[in-house]
Amino acid sequence: MGTLTASRHDARTSDTEIAPLAEPALVLGAGMLAAAVACVGRIPGWADDYGAFLVFFALILHLALAVGVLRWGWQLRQGR
């Protein structure tokens, strides 16, 4: 039981140590989303050149990572 409590305490401590990364994470996530929006016009050409499955899989992966980084940065900024 003591180990579980200690691990929770360590997780809270590490959150305060990485709290300064909230703003860079928000900027990175917003930049990734902006880059995806900026490249919307090129996506059909890439799909023709490289295959629709590969391009749309990469797009979904890119957007998922962008949203994940934004969410992580937002949670750090809120202190959760």
Side-chain angles (χ1 to χ4, degrees), residues 42-62:
R42 294 180 169 187
I43 291 173
W46 291 338
D48 289 340
D49 292 343
Y50 304 111
F53 177 78
L54 180 64
V55 171
F56 289 110
F57 180 74
L59 177 63
I60 290 169
L61 182 62
H62 180 86

Side-chain angles (χ1 to χ4, degrees), residues 2 32 36 40 46 52 58:
M32 289 175 71
V40 165
W46 291 338

Side-chain angles (χ1 to χ4, degrees), residues 54-79:
L54 180 64
V55 171
F56 289 110
F57 180 74
L59 177 63
I60 290 169
L61 182 62
H62 180 86
L63 291 174
L65 288 171
V67 170
V69 169
L70 272 173
R71 182 177 175 225
W72 180 70
W74 184 258
Q75 287 178 344
L76 278 178
R77 191 168 187 195
Q78 297 301 316

Side-chain angles (χ1 to χ4, degrees), residues 9-30:
H9 176 67
D10 292 341
R12 289 183 192 140
T13 303
S14 66
D15 284 349
T16 59
E17 292 174 0
I18 61 172
L21 295 176
E23 285 77 20
L26 290 170
V27 171
L28 177 65

